[in-house]
Amino acid sequence: MSNEPLMGNSTLYSTYKENQRFRETSSQNITAILPAYNEEVSIGSIVLLTKLYADNVIVVDDGSTDLTADIARKAGAEVVSHGANRGKAEAIKTGFTAAADLGADIIVTMDSDGQHNPADIPNLVAPIIKGNAEMVNGSRYLNYPGKNSPVYCRAGQTMQDTTVKMNFNLKITDMQSGFRAFAASTKGIFRFSGKKTAIENEMLADAGRSGIRITEIEIGAHTIPEAHSRNPAKYIMGALRAITEDVDANKPLYFYSVPGFALATCGFYMGFKFLEAFFLGSASLNFEHTFLMVFLALAGAYMTLRGIIAHSMAGALRQTETV
């Protein structure tokens, strides 16, 4: 990339020179992964800017029907294409494999729509280079918790943060962040399935279970214009759905067994009190009452058993994947 456009802006030129010094003093191979689906408008500039801060830039073209792959390739990225759209989880999995083939020491994941600033990469990878972490989460809310964001956005973010703390025992302030850095040695701990929950959440769950060191750094993020027009009700419902999926996938005992045990207890208690009253002659057989207590007992027992089985199967699956 020519220095000429940078020379016209002292701030950009200063940033460029600082990055050059960073790259000269770091011997780590930094490879950035950009999953992309129909991002022809932004992908070229993102690749060019990212190349200033990374040794390699890999664009995983996830079945795009536009010129995303061609533009990324012309901008200097290594392009890996999926024949059809497989989803973000598969795109990141492909990117991690390609990064390992290129000898990456540190892998950075970024969104390709322009909301992440590649100039944050040096700060993002610094804890890994210094040996203080194996995973770094870029947070938009670490020191600036979105005070100017709409109330419904702050409410949704707070709910999801609470879920992360409960599910993974992690103090993460931006669980949906796609801007992260990983030591290449962590590749084997991630499932990259994205089946029951968003890939960002799944990777946090895998990282939390593995016991690797995780830290956060503050990042800047450009707000995509479409985000301002989203429906508050749909946003809250989406946040609740994400929370439900996370708890279902990662804490089935909480999701099924706890409420199930409560329902079963109510059902059995109602049955006990009814039988007590019936034999004492102070109560007669009532269909609605009988149906309710039987329903509560059976539903509660089913949910309790399902939670125990799901918890056991998840533990066995994790042990199998580790082996």
Side-chain angles (χ1 to χ4, degrees):
M1 185 176 182
S2 170
N3 290 347
E4 186 175 346
L6 296 176
M7 291 293 289
N9 186 307
S10 59
T11 301
L12 285 176
Y13 181 66
S14 175
T15 302
Y16 173 76
K17 296 301 290 183
E18 289 178 3
N19 175 64
Q20 288 298 99
R21 288 193 292 272
F22 162 75
R23 296 285 298 280
E24 289 170 0
T25 58
S26 173
S27 59
Q28 302 277 3
N29 181 307
I30 301 170
T31 296
I33 300 171
L34 282 76
Y37 177 67
N38 291 343
E39 297 287 359
E40 64 178 8
V41 173
S42 60
I43 195 65
S45 58
I46 295 301
V47 169
L48 289 172
L49 289 172
T50 304
K51 282 174 65 66
L52 294 175
Y53 303 95
D55 298 283
N56 305 295
V57 178
I58 299 171
V59 171
V60 181
D61 173 34
D62 192 29
S64 297
T65 56
D66 61 5
L67 299 176
T68 294
D70 292 337
I71 295 173
R73 195 174 287 111
K74 290 178 181 178
E78 298 281 343
V79 178
V80 182
S81 296
H82 290 167
N85 184 259
R86 302 182 192 174
K88 192 173 183 180
E90 283 290 332
I92 293 180
K93 180 179 181 179
T94 297
F96 265 68
T97 300
D101 292 341
L102 292 175
D105 297 305
I106 300 175
I107 299 172
V108 175
T109 59
M110 295 176 56
D111 290 346
S112 55
D113 56 9
Q115 68 170 299
H116 296 144
N117 186 356
D120 286 325
I121 290 177
N123 291 332
L124 194 70
V125 303
I128 299 177
I129 292 176
K130 294 176 182 177
N132 297 327
E134 286 79 47
M135 175 178 171
V136 183
N137 190 60
S139 173
R140 296 161 290 181
Y141 312 110
L142 185 60
N143 297 315
Y144 180 72
K147 293 181 180 179
N148 294 329
S149 301
V151 173
Y152 66 87
C153 288
R154 298 202 299 272
Q157 186 63 39
T158 299
M159 289 189 295
Q160 293 182 78
D161 290 346
T162 302
T163 303
V164 171
K165 293 174 184 177
M166 181 183 73
N167 284 349
F168 318 135
N169 195 28
L170 297 175
K171 293 182 179 180
I172 298 295
T173 62
D174 193 353
M175 65 183 291
Q176 293 294 322
S177 175
F179 198 9
R180 293 170 175 169
F182 306 84
S185 59
T186 65
K187 176 180 180 293
I189 71 174
F190 300 113
R191 290 168 288 170
F192 301 112
S193 67
K195 293 179 181 178
K196 287 190 174 182
T197 184
I199 183 59
E200 292 85 1
N201 298 6
E202 181 185 280
M203 293 182 80
L204 278 178
D206 292 340
R209 293 191 188 104
S210 71
I212 65 172
R213 294 172 298 171
I214 306 171
T215 190
E216 281 193 309
I217 66 104
E218 184 179 15
I219 60 169
H222 172 67
T223 303
I224 305 302
E226 289 80 0
H228 292 292
S229 59
R230 56 190 170 189
N231 185 290
K234 289 183 177 179
Y235 178 84
I236 292 296
M237 290 302 296
L240 290 174
R241 183 170 59 251
I243 291 170
T244 301
E245 291 172 349
D246 286 339
V247 178
D248 181 12
N250 298 289
K251 295 289 185 180
L253 282 176
Y254 285 107
F255 191 74
Y256 293 108
S257 297
V258 172
F261 182 77
L263 290 178
T265 300
C266 289
F268 287 121
Y269 179 76
M270 288 174 63
F272 173 77
K273 297 301 290 184
F274 169 76
L275 290 175
E276 182 184 40
F278 179 79
F279 284 114
L280 290 175
S282 60
S284 59
L285 190 64
N286 181 282
F287 175 78
E288 289 81 6
H289 185 274
T290 303
F291 175 81
L292 178 60
M293 67 183 183
V294 171
F295 172 78
L296 289 176
L298 291 179
Y302 168 76
M303 291 178 65
T304 302
L305 184 61
R306 178 173 179 175
I308 293 172
I309 293 174
H311 177 75
S312 301
M313 291 180 63
L317 180 60
R318 286 194 294 271
Q319 288 181 354
T320 301
E321 290 173 345
T322 301
V323 174

